[in-house]
Amino acid sequence: MTPIQMTFSTNFLLGLMGLTFHRTHLLSALLRLESMMLSLFLATSLWALQLSTINIATVPMLVLAFSACSASSGLRLLVATARTHGSDHMQNLNLLQC
Amino acid sequence: MSYLVCVLLFGLMVGSVGVASNRSPYFAAMGLVMVSGVGCGVLICFGGSFLPLVFFLIYLGGMMVVFAFSAALSAEPYPYGWGNRSVKMYVAAYVLGVGCAWKVLLGKWSGFWGGNLDESGELLVLRGDMMGVAAMHDVGGWMLVLGGLGLLLTLFVVLELVRGVSRGGLRTV
């Protein structure tokens, strides 16, 4: 495995592990999702650049557009959580009480 | 040139460990800014010119700015920085994990990189990745329309759901 593939693969896995073990804030979970998306952008861009298949350069642009959709949805949920519970702490998101 | 790529890859790893291990979103957002800047440097080293610029503009200038002012919603009086013990333990665990993975999987490098898009060495007008993105407008026109419609749909979804006063997803407060 080349060092660059190793780097963005571990970048993705670190974001995934951070998302799994996130502790307090909803916003930090969203930031780890963004780091996963960043590693995907790097991976697809390096595919287009290293293998000289330049038509694949459309893939990072579209991935960026759709990840903006997911980031905005996550931020909307963050605003709703802060509005109803006062903060974005994950322990407040308890289904047993409203 | 390969040393520069090594330094940038090291910066990527440090930044992503910082994003993954931090409890407070302030410092995780700083790590993400660093990772995206260094990632753009890696793309430039491989001959990309348009894709790193797009990434800087849209990701850093668009999405990170929104995350930065949404960090005000998760404000706390004493945020957990890198001096905190639990954060240091997470950093140590992630560095150990990454080090073990690198030692096991990267024992023999099978080559440093696949290629470089501006191998001609001249300053051309039509760069490779810019022409690839131009193909999105040319043969990928329907995908562009679909992406635009998806973004418009997301806009309306977000606006409807934070409407409040018992009409959206917010409880009446």
Side-chain angles (χ1 to χ4, degrees):
Chain A
M1 197 187 278
T2 62
I4 293 126
Q5 292 172 358
M6 189 69 202
T7 306
F8 61 70
S9 305
T10 46
N11 202 348
F12 185 84
L13 283 173
L14 276 175
L16 190 61
M17 278 198 290
L19 185 62
T20 313
F21 301 132
H22 69 266
R23 286 162 282 169
T24 314
H25 291 281
L26 185 63
L27 184 60
S28 57
L30 293 175
L31 282 168
R32 277 118 193 201
L33 268 177
E34 287 308 306
S35 85
M36 284 163 69
M37 180 265 129
L38 189 153
S39 71
L40 284 178
F41 184 90
L42 277 181
T44 47
S45 303
L46 285 168
W47 175 8
L49 293 171
Q50 284 188 344
L51 302 178
S52 297
T53 56
I54 57 177
N55 270 336
I56 304 295
T58 61
V59 173
M61 305 285 293
L62 293 167
V63 161
L64 198 61
F66 293 128
S67 87
C69 293
S70 79
S72 66
S73 305
L75 285 173
R76 174 249 302 165
L77 288 172
L78 178 81
V79 164
T81 310
R83 177 81 188 273
T84 53
H85 296 283
S87 68
D88 67 337
H89 285 179
M90 301 294 292
Q91 61 243 26
N92 291 337
L93 302 175
N94 191 359
L95 284 175
L96 291 178
Q97 54 184 359
C98 192
Chain B
M1 192 64 180
S2 60
Y3 289 127
L4 180 65
V5 176
C6 278
V7 166
L8 292 175
L9 292 180
F10 184 70
L12 258 180
M13 295 311 306
V14 165
S16 63
V17 164
V19 170
S21 65
N22 230 306
R23 193 169 140 169
S24 172
Y26 297 124
F27 306 110
M30 285 294 297
L32 207 53
V33 166
M34 178 188 164
V35 169
S36 54
V38 170
C40 287
V42 170
L43 291 180
I44 289 168
C45 286
F46 286 98
S49 57
F50 186 66
L51 285 171
L53 279 175
V54 159
F55 193 56
F56 248 103
L57 267 175
I58 308 301
Y59 194 82
L60 272 186
M63 287 157 63
M64 275 303 119
V65 163
V66 176
F67 272 100
F69 66 70
S70 299
L73 289 169
S74 67
E76 50 189 11
Y78 300 105
Y80 277 49
W82 271 289
N84 196 16
R85 188 152 174 257
S86 68
V87 173
K88 272 195 274 205
M89 279 169 58
Y90 268 87
V91 165
Y94 286 139
V95 164
L96 198 66
V98 165
C100 288
W102 275 65
K103 188 81 174 63
V104 166
L105 291 170
L106 210 55
K108 272 188 204 285
W109 290 3
S110 59
F112 207 110
W113 49 52
N116 197 353
L117 198 58
D118 56 355
E119 275 163 338
S120 63
E122 306 169 347
L123 198 60
L124 305 167
V125 173
L126 302 178
R127 313 282 303 197
D129 55 345
M130 198 153 57
M131 290 304 113
V133 174
M136 184 173 69
H137 299 273
D138 183 11
V139 295
W142 285 113
M143 194 64 202
L144 197 64
V145 167
L146 206 63
L149 286 176
L151 283 168
L152 193 65
L153 179 69
T154 308
L155 174 71
F156 285 127
V157 160
V158 167
L159 283 176
E160 277 300 317
L161 271 162
V162 290
R163 196 184 261 263
V165 199
S166 82
R167 274 198 64 172
L170 302 180
R171 188 173 59 108
T172 316
V173 284

